[in-house]
mmCIF file with all atom_site columns, all heavy atoms in Angstrom:
data_model
loop_
_atom_site.group_PDB
_atom_site.id
_atom_site.type_symbol
_atom_site.label_atom_id
_atom_site.label_alt_id
_atom_site.label_comp_id
_atom_site.label_asym_id
_atom_site.label_entity_id
_atom_site.label_seq_id
_atom_site.pdbx_PDB_ins_code
_atom_site.Cartn_x
_atom_site.Cartn_y
_atom_site.Cartn_z
_atom_site.occupancy
_atom_site.B_iso_or_equiv
_atom_site.pdbx_formal_charge
_atom_site.auth_seq_id
_atom_site.auth_comp_id
_atom_site.auth_asym_id
_atom_site.auth_atom_id
_atom_site.pdbx_PDB_model_num
ATOM 1   N N   . SER A 1 606 ? 111.335 -35.887 26.174 1.00 83.00 ? 606 SER A N   1
ATOM 2   C CA  . SER A 1 606 ? 111.247 -35.510 24.677 1.00 83.00 ? 606 SER A CA  1
ATOM 3   C C   . SER A 1 606 ? 112.193 -36.519 23.965 1.00 83.00 ? 606 SER A C   1
ATOM 4   O O   . SER A 1 606 ? 111.982 -36.740 22.765 1.00 83.00 ? 606 SER A O   1
ATOM 5   C CB  . SER A 1 606 ? 111.637 -34.152 24.387 1.00 83.00 ? 606 SER A CB  1
ATOM 6   O OG  . SER A 1 606 ? 112.897 -33.889 25.014 1.00 83.00 ? 606 SER A OG  1
ATOM 7   N N   . SER A 1 607 ? 113.157 -37.066 24.590 1.00 81.00 ? 607 SER A N   1
ATOM 8   C CA  . SER A 1 607 ? 114.086 -38.048 23.862 1.00 81.00 ? 607 SER A CA  1
ATOM 9   C C   . SER A 1 607 ? 113.344 -39.310 23.476 1.00 81.00 ? 607 SER A C   1
ATOM 10  O O   . SER A 1 607 ? 113.728 -39.983 22.495 1.00 81.00 ? 607 SER A O   1
ATOM 11  C CB  . SER A 1 607 ? 115.291 -38.296 24.723 1.00 81.00 ? 607 SER A CB  1
ATOM 12  O OG  . SER A 1 607 ? 114.857 -39.059 25.843 1.00 81.00 ? 607 SER A OG  1
ATOM 13  N N   . GLY A 1 608 ? 112.423 -39.736 24.261 1.00 77.00 ? 608 GLY A N   1
ATOM 14  C CA  . GLY A 1 608 ? 111.569 -40.873 23.960 1.00 77.00 ? 608 GLY A CA  1
ATOM 15  C C   . GLY A 1 608 ? 112.382 -42.181 24.214 1.00 77.00 ? 608 GLY A C   1
ATOM 16  O O   . GLY A 1 608 ? 111.928 -43.260 23.820 1.00 77.00 ? 608 GLY A O   1
ATOM 17  N N   . VAL A 1 609 ? 113.593 -42.102 24.992 1.00 77.00 ? 609 VAL A N   1
ATOM 18  C CA  . VAL A 1 609 ? 114.256 -43.289 25.245 1.00 77.00 ? 609 VAL A CA  1
ATOM 19  C C   . VAL A 1 609 ? 113.844 -44.095 26.468 1.00 77.00 ? 609 VAL A C   1
ATOM 20  O O   . VAL A 1 609 ? 113.560 -43.377 27.528 1.00 77.00 ? 609 VAL A O   1
ATOM 21  C CB  . VAL A 1 609 ? 115.742 -42.950 25.420 1.00 77.00 ? 609 VAL A CB  1
ATOM 22  C CG1 . VAL A 1 609 ? 116.619 -44.094 25.803 1.00 77.00 ? 609 VAL A CG1 1
ATOM 23  C CG2 . VAL A 1 609 ? 116.342 -42.196 24.252 1.00 77.00 ? 609 VAL A CG2 1
ATOM 24  N N   . TYR A 1 610 ? 113.722 -45.370 26.433 1.00 72.00 ? 610 TYR A N   1
ATOM 25  C CA  . TYR A 1 610 ? 113.390 -46.154 27.575 1.00 72.00 ? 610 TYR A CA  1
ATOM 26  C C   . TYR A 1 610 ? 113.940 -47.525 27.388 1.00 72.00 ? 610 TYR A C   1
ATOM 27  O O   . TYR A 1 610 ? 114.292 -48.004 26.352 1.00 72.00 ? 610 TYR A O   1
ATOM 28  C CB  . TYR A 1 610 ? 111.856 -46.228 27.725 1.00 72.00 ? 610 TYR A CB  1
ATOM 29  C CG  . TYR A 1 610 ? 111.082 -46.957 26.670 1.00 72.00 ? 610 TYR A CG  1
ATOM 30  C CD1 . TYR A 1 610 ? 110.778 -48.302 26.854 1.00 72.00 ? 610 TYR A CD1 1
ATOM 31  C CD2 . TYR A 1 610 ? 110.673 -46.266 25.510 1.00 72.00 ? 610 TYR A CD2 1
ATOM 32  C CE1 . TYR A 1 610 ? 110.197 -48.961 25.833 1.00 72.00 ? 610 TYR A CE1 1
ATOM 33  C CE2 . TYR A 1 610 ? 109.992 -47.066 24.528 1.00 72.00 ? 610 TYR A CE2 1
ATOM 34  C CZ  . TYR A 1 610 ? 109.717 -48.368 24.668 1.00 72.00 ? 610 TYR A CZ  1
ATOM 35  O OH  . TYR A 1 610 ? 109.012 -49.057 23.722 1.00 72.00 ? 610 TYR A OH  1
ATOM 36  N N   . LYS A 1 611 ? 114.018 -48.338 28.481 1.00 70.00 ? 611 LYS A N   1
ATOM 37  C CA  . LYS A 1 611 ? 114.462 -49.615 28.439 1.00 70.00 ? 611 LYS A CA  1
ATOM 38  C C   . LYS A 1 611 ? 113.268 -50.698 28.795 1.00 70.00 ? 611 LYS A C   1
ATOM 39  O O   . LYS A 1 611 ? 112.460 -50.382 29.627 1.00 70.00 ? 611 LYS A O   1
ATOM 40  C CB  . LYS A 1 611 ? 115.620 -49.856 29.523 1.00 70.00 ? 611 LYS A CB  1
ATOM 41  C CG  . LYS A 1 611 ? 116.840 -49.023 29.186 1.00 70.00 ? 611 LYS A CG  1
ATOM 42  C CD  . LYS A 1 611 ? 117.960 -49.265 30.271 1.00 70.00 ? 611 LYS A CD  1
ATOM 43  C CE  . LYS A 1 611 ? 119.207 -48.487 29.923 1.00 70.00 ? 611 LYS A CE  1
ATOM 44  N NZ  . LYS A 1 611 ? 120.216 -48.677 31.009 1.00 70.00 ? 611 LYS A NZ  1
ATOM 45  N N   . ASN A 1 612 ? 113.324 -51.806 28.134 1.00 67.00 ? 612 ASN A N   1
ATOM 46  C CA  . ASN A 1 612 ? 112.184 -52.753 28.222 1.00 67.00 ? 612 ASN A CA  1
ATOM 47  C C   . ASN A 1 612 ? 112.126 -53.420 29.617 1.00 67.00 ? 612 ASN A C   1
ATOM 48  O O   . ASN A 1 612 ? 111.093 -53.895 30.068 1.00 67.00 ? 612 ASN A O   1
ATOM 49  C CB  . ASN A 1 612 ? 112.253 -53.772 27.145 1.00 67.00 ? 612 ASN A CB  1
ATOM 50  C CG  . ASN A 1 612 ? 112.079 -53.264 25.788 1.00 67.00 ? 612 ASN A CG  1
ATOM 51  O OD1 . ASN A 1 612 ? 111.606 -52.097 25.638 1.00 67.00 ? 612 ASN A OD1 1
ATOM 52  N ND2 . ASN A 1 612 ? 112.477 -54.059 24.763 1.00 67.00 ? 612 ASN A ND2 1
ATOM 53  N N   . LYS A 1 613 ? 113.335 -53.450 30.262 1.00 72.00 ? 613 LYS A N   1
ATOM 54  C CA  . LYS A 1 613 ? 113.456 -54.245 31.510 1.00 72.00 ? 613 LYS A CA  1
ATOM 55  C C   . LYS A 1 613 ? 113.048 -53.393 32.781 1.00 72.00 ? 613 LYS A C   1
ATOM 56  O O   . LYS A 1 613 ? 113.333 -53.886 33.892 1.00 72.00 ? 613 LYS A O   1
ATOM 57  C CB  . LYS A 1 613 ? 114.842 -54.879 31.609 1.00 72.00 ? 613 LYS A CB  1
ATOM 58  C CG  . LYS A 1 613 ? 115.182 -55.950 30.532 1.00 72.00 ? 613 LYS A CG  1
ATOM 59  C CD  . LYS A 1 613 ? 116.523 -56.440 30.786 1.00 72.00 ? 613 LYS A CD  1
ATOM 60  C CE  . LYS A 1 613 ? 116.857 -57.349 29.584 1.00 72.00 ? 613 LYS A CE  1
ATOM 61  N NZ  . LYS A 1 613 ? 118.245 -58.032 29.796 1.00 72.00 ? 613 LYS A NZ  1
ATOM 62  N N   . ILE A 1 614 ? 112.665 -52.214 32.675 1.00 75.00 ? 614 ILE A N   1
ATOM 63  C CA  . ILE A 1 614 ? 112.486 -51.274 33.787 1.00 75.00 ? 614 ILE A CA  1
ATOM 64  C C   . ILE A 1 614 ? 111.304 -51.746 34.639 1.00 75.00 ? 614 ILE A C   1
ATOM 65  O O   . ILE A 1 614 ? 111.398 -51.854 35.838 1.00 75.00 ? 614 ILE A O   1
ATOM 66  C CB  . ILE A 1 614 ? 112.231 -49.829 33.296 1.00 75.00 ? 614 ILE A CB  1
ATOM 67  C CG1 . ILE A 1 614 ? 113.549 -49.303 32.800 1.00 75.00 ? 614 ILE A CG1 1
ATOM 68  C CG2 . ILE A 1 614 ? 111.799 -48.975 34.475 1.00 75.00 ? 614 ILE A CG2 1
ATOM 69  C CD1 . ILE A 1 614 ? 113.499 -47.956 32.249 1.00 75.00 ? 614 ILE A CD1 1
ATOM 70  N N   . GLN A 1 615 ? 110.143 -52.164 34.089 1.00 82.00 ? 615 GLN A N   1
ATOM 71  C CA  . GLN A 1 615 ? 109.035 -52.596 34.729 1.00 82.00 ? 615 GLN A CA  1
ATOM 72  C C   . GLN A 1 615 ? 108.576 -51.559 35.907 1.00 82.00 ? 615 GLN A C   1
ATOM 73  O O   . GLN A 1 615 ? 108.586 -51.946 37.110 1.00 82.00 ? 615 GLN A O   1
ATOM 74  C CB  . GLN A 1 615 ? 109.236 -53.983 35.334 1.00 82.00 ? 615 GLN A CB  1
ATOM 75  C CG  . GLN A 1 615 ? 109.472 -55.044 34.339 1.00 82.00 ? 615 GLN A CG  1
ATOM 76  C CD  . GLN A 1 615 ? 108.382 -55.125 33.255 1.00 82.00 ? 615 GLN A CD  1
ATOM 77  O OE1 . GLN A 1 615 ? 107.255 -55.140 33.604 1.00 82.00 ? 615 GLN A OE1 1
ATOM 78  N NE2 . GLN A 1 615 ? 108.795 -55.226 32.053 1.00 82.00 ? 615 GLN A NE2 1
ATOM 79  N N   . PRO A 1 616 ? 108.276 -50.276 35.615 1.00 87.00 ? 616 PRO A N   1
ATOM 80  C CA  . PRO A 1 616 ? 107.890 -49.348 36.702 1.00 87.00 ? 616 PRO A CA  1
ATOM 81  C C   . PRO A 1 616 ? 106.397 -49.557 36.959 1.00 87.00 ? 616 PRO A C   1
ATOM 82  O O   . PRO A 1 616 ? 105.650 -50.177 36.295 1.00 87.00 ? 616 PRO A O   1
ATOM 83  C CB  . PRO A 1 616 ? 108.109 -47.998 36.012 1.00 87.00 ? 616 PRO A CB  1
ATOM 84  C CG  . PRO A 1 616 ? 107.796 -48.239 34.598 1.00 87.00 ? 616 PRO A CG  1
ATOM 85  C CD  . PRO A 1 616 ? 108.396 -49.659 34.312 1.00 87.00 ? 616 PRO A CD  1
ATOM 86  N N   . ASP A 1 617 ? 106.063 -48.902 38.138 1.00 89.00 ? 617 ASP A N   1
ATOM 87  C CA  . ASP A 1 617 ? 104.664 -48.940 38.613 1.00 89.00 ? 617 ASP A CA  1
ATOM 88  C C   . ASP A 1 617 ? 103.876 -47.738 37.880 1.00 89.00 ? 617 ASP A C   1
ATOM 89  O O   . ASP A 1 617 ? 102.753 -47.961 37.566 1.00 89.00 ? 617 ASP A O   1
ATOM 90  C CB  . ASP A 1 617 ? 104.459 -48.734 40.062 1.00 89.00 ? 617 ASP A CB  1
ATOM 91  C CG  . ASP A 1 617 ? 105.136 -49.835 40.891 1.00 89.00 ? 617 ASP A CG  1
ATOM 92  O OD1 . ASP A 1 617 ? 104.551 -50.978 40.847 1.00 89.00 ? 617 ASP A OD1 1
ATOM 93  O OD2 . ASP A 1 617 ? 106.208 -49.612 41.449 1.00 89.00 ? 617 ASP A OD2 1
ATOM 94  N N   . ILE A 1 618 ? 104.651 -46.725 37.543 1.00 92.00 ? 618 ILE A N   1
ATOM 95  C CA  . ILE A 1 618 ? 103.994 -45.509 37.025 1.00 92.00 ? 618 ILE A CA  1
ATOM 96  C C   . ILE A 1 618 ? 104.916 -45.038 35.943 1.00 92.00 ? 618 ILE A C   1
ATOM 97  O O   . ILE A 1 618 ? 106.160 -44.927 35.963 1.00 92.00 ? 618 ILE A O   1
ATOM 98  C CB  . ILE A 1 618 ? 103.816 -44.403 38.108 1.00 92.00 ? 618 ILE A CB  1
ATOM 99  C CG1 . ILE A 1 618 ? 102.891 -44.903 39.192 1.00 92.00 ? 618 ILE A CG1 1
ATOM 100 C CG2 . ILE A 1 618 ? 103.312 -43.109 37.423 1.00 92.00 ? 618 ILE A CG2 1
ATOM 101 C CD1 . ILE A 1 618 ? 102.965 -43.994 40.398 1.00 92.00 ? 618 ILE A CD1 1
ATOM 102 N N   . ILE A 1 619 ? 104.261 -44.623 34.776 1.00 92.00 ? 619 ILE A N   1
ATOM 103 C CA  . ILE A 1 619 ? 104.966 -43.928 33.695 1.00 92.00 ? 619 ILE A CA  1
ATOM 104 C C   . ILE A 1 619 ? 104.581 -42.478 33.742 1.00 92.00 ? 619 ILE A C   1
ATOM 105 O O   . ILE A 1 619 ? 103.382 -42.149 33.709 1.00 92.00 ? 619 ILE A O   1
ATOM 106 C CB  . ILE A 1 619 ? 104.718 -44.530 32.373 1.00 92.00 ? 619 ILE A CB  1
ATOM 107 C CG1 . ILE A 1 619 ? 105.304 -45.939 32.260 1.00 92.00 ? 619 ILE A CG1 1
ATOM 108 C CG2 . ILE A 1 619 ? 105.142 -43.601 31.190 1.00 92.00 ? 619 ILE A CG2 1
ATOM 109 C CD1 . ILE A 1 619 ? 105.022 -46.617 30.834 1.00 92.00 ? 619 ILE A CD1 1
ATOM 110 N N   . LEU A 1 620 ? 105.578 -41.600 33.727 1.00 93.00 ? 620 LEU A N   1
ATOM 111 C CA  . LEU A 1 620 ? 105.287 -40.107 33.513 1.00 93.00 ? 620 LEU A CA  1
ATOM 112 C C   . LEU A 1 620 ? 105.798 -39.717 32.136 1.00 93.00 ? 620 LEU A C   1
ATOM 113 O O   . LEU A 1 620 ? 106.911 -39.747 31.897 1.00 93.00 ? 620 LEU A O   1
ATOM 114 C CB  . LEU A 1 620 ? 105.848 -39.403 34.681 1.00 93.00 ? 620 LEU A CB  1
ATOM 115 C CG  . LEU A 1 620 ? 105.901 -37.860 34.557 1.00 93.00 ? 620 LEU A CG  1
ATOM 116 C CD1 . LEU A 1 620 ? 104.435 -37.317 34.526 1.00 93.00 ? 620 LEU A CD1 1
ATOM 117 C CD2 . LEU A 1 620 ? 106.692 -37.183 35.655 1.00 93.00 ? 620 LEU A CD2 1
ATOM 118 N N   . LEU A 1 621 ? 104.863 -39.193 31.410 1.00 92.00 ? 621 LEU A N   1
ATOM 119 C CA  . LEU A 1 621 ? 105.181 -38.655 30.042 1.00 92.00 ? 621 LEU A CA  1
ATOM 120 C C   . LEU A 1 621 ? 105.371 -37.133 30.064 1.00 92.00 ? 621 LEU A C   1
ATOM 121 O O   . LEU A 1 621 ? 104.332 -36.437 30.514 1.00 92.00 ? 621 LEU A O   1
ATOM 122 C CB  . LEU A 1 621 ? 104.109 -39.006 29.035 1.00 92.00 ? 621 LEU A CB  1
ATOM 123 C CG  . LEU A 1 621 ? 103.879 -40.597 28.841 1.00 92.00 ? 621 LEU A CG  1
ATOM 124 C CD1 . LEU A 1 621 ? 102.640 -40.801 28.043 1.00 92.00 ? 621 LEU A CD1 1
ATOM 125 C CD2 . LEU A 1 621 ? 105.059 -41.260 28.357 1.00 92.00 ? 621 LEU A CD2 1
ATOM 126 N N   . THR A 1 622 ? 106.440 -36.636 29.649 1.00 92.00 ? 622 THR A N   1
ATOM 127 C CA  . THR A 1 622 ? 106.658 -35.186 29.693 1.00 92.00 ? 622 THR A CA  1
ATOM 128 C C   . THR A 1 622 ? 107.286 -34.684 28.333 1.00 92.00 ? 622 THR A C   1
ATOM 129 O O   . THR A 1 622 ? 107.883 -35.430 27.585 1.00 92.00 ? 622 THR A O   1
ATOM 130 C CB  . THR A 1 622 ? 107.699 -34.765 30.833 1.00 92.00 ? 622 THR A CB  1
ATOM 131 O OG1 . THR A 1 622 ? 109.044 -35.270 30.512 1.00 92.00 ? 622 THR A OG1 1
ATOM 132 C CG2 . THR A 1 622 ? 107.243 -35.428 32.113 1.00 92.00 ? 622 THR A CG2 1
ATOM 133 N N   . GLN A 1 623 ? 107.114 -33.386 28.031 1.00 89.00 ? 623 GLN A N   1
ATOM 134 C CA  . GLN A 1 623 ? 107.739 -32.679 26.901 1.00 89.00 ? 623 GLN A CA  1
ATOM 135 C C   . GLN A 1 623 ? 107.370 -33.396 25.494 1.00 89.00 ? 623 GLN A C   1
ATOM 136 O O   . GLN A 1 623 ? 108.182 -33.342 24.625 1.00 89.00 ? 623 GLN A O   1
ATOM 137 C CB  . GLN A 1 623 ? 109.293 -32.696 27.039 1.00 89.00 ? 623 GLN A CB  1
ATOM 138 C CG  . GLN A 1 623 ? 109.770 -32.316 28.400 1.00 89.00 ? 623 GLN A CG  1
ATOM 139 C CD  . GLN A 1 623 ? 109.462 -30.895 28.759 1.00 89.00 ? 623 GLN A CD  1
ATOM 140 O OE1 . GLN A 1 623 ? 109.422 -29.989 27.854 1.00 89.00 ? 623 GLN A OE1 1
ATOM 141 N NE2 . GLN A 1 623 ? 109.172 -30.483 29.999 1.00 89.00 ? 623 GLN A NE2 1
ATOM 142 N N   . SER A 1 624 ? 106.121 -33.985 25.335 1.00 89.00 ? 624 SER A N   1
ATOM 143 C CA  . SER A 1 624 ? 105.642 -34.542 24.107 1.00 89.00 ? 624 SER A CA  1
ATOM 144 C C   . SER A 1 624 ? 106.665 -35.503 23.433 1.00 89.00 ? 624 SER A C   1
ATOM 145 O O   . SER A 1 624 ? 107.161 -35.188 22.370 1.00 89.00 ? 624 SER A O   1
ATOM 146 C CB  . SER A 1 624 ? 105.320 -33.457 23.189 1.00 89.00 ? 624 SER A CB  1
ATOM 147 O OG  . SER A 1 624 ? 104.311 -32.569 23.702 1.00 89.00 ? 624 SER A OG  1
#
Side-chain angles (χ1 to χ4, degrees):
S606 57
S607 66
V609 177
Y610 67 92
K611 295 180 181 179
N612 295 347
K613 297 180 180 180
I614 289 178
Q615 299 301 315
D617 298 288
I618 298 167
I619 289 179
L620 173 60
L621 303 171
T622 69
Q623 312 296 325
S624 300

